[in-house]
Amino acid sequence: MAGPPANPFSRKSLSGANGEWVTLPADGYDGDLPSWPLHNDPSTAEEALWMDLWRTPQAAMWAESGFERVVARYVMVTVLSEEEPTAAMLSEVRQLEDRLGLSPMALKRLQWVISEPSSGELAEVIEDDRFAGL
């Protein structure tokens, strides 16, 4: 096939329309945490969620694709929905979760797969007291 190779971060590639799956790092995104991109200062709850989200495997794709503002809006809506849940707010949270690959169904739709954990990570999980007796 003639022409340039497909851009792995194009809308078509990110949606999985090109038939290729993207492997995300099981140990999460290890790059620099982006600064809060919105004009407001985040609350303590928003800041904690922001920091947690940017260590997920999905954050590797968000960083490459420049999704900082979308993630920030997800953080804001999620925190608000936990304080005063409404049907509309919960619907928005679910829709943003889908767009950001934060559910198993969304990962499949986006054709993102999380890699197998390294042997060191697996050993940590096995030794974790919460998993004793399983």
Side-chain angles (χ1 to χ4, degrees):
M1 179 180 263
N7 176 351
F9 304 110
S10 70
R11 182 170 297 189
K12 180 178 177 183
S13 293
L14 290 173
S15 71
N18 66 4
E20 295 179 19
W21 285 71
V22 175
T23 302
L24 306 176
D27 50 348
Y29 175 64
D30 64 357
D32 294 334
L33 255 75
S35 300
W36 182 255
L38 304 179
H39 298 294
N40 67 313
D41 289 329
S43 68
T44 303
E46 289 169 339
E47 189 172 0
L49 181 55
W50 175 260
M51 290 172 37
D52 287 346
L53 287 170
W54 281 101
R55 291 299 172 221
T56 64
Q58 294 87 332
M61 289 301 290
W62 306 335
E64 292 290 332
S65 304
F67 286 4
E68 290 86 353
R69 295 181 69 81
V70 176
V71 176
R73 285 193 301 270
Y74 169 73
V75 166
M76 289 178 64
V77 172
T78 299
V79 170
L80 284 173
S81 74
E82 291 172 355
E83 293 170 359
E84 296 181 38
T86 65
M89 194 73 74
L90 294 172
S91 176
E92 186 64 23
V93 168
R94 184 191 51 77
Q95 289 179 47
L96 286 167
E97 285 173 349
D98 286 348
R99 286 179 177 83
L100 294 172
L102 291 172
S103 71
M105 182 180 276
L107 285 170
K108 185 175 181 180
R109 185 182 55 75
L110 292 167
Q111 291 187 305
W112 294 353
V113 63
I114 298 173
S115 66
E116 293 294 321
S118 65
S119 58
E121 272 184 26
L122 190 54
E124 287 176 23
V125 170
I126 291 170
E127 292 173 7
D128 191 327
D129 289 338
R130 293 177 294 169
F131 298 99
L134 295 181

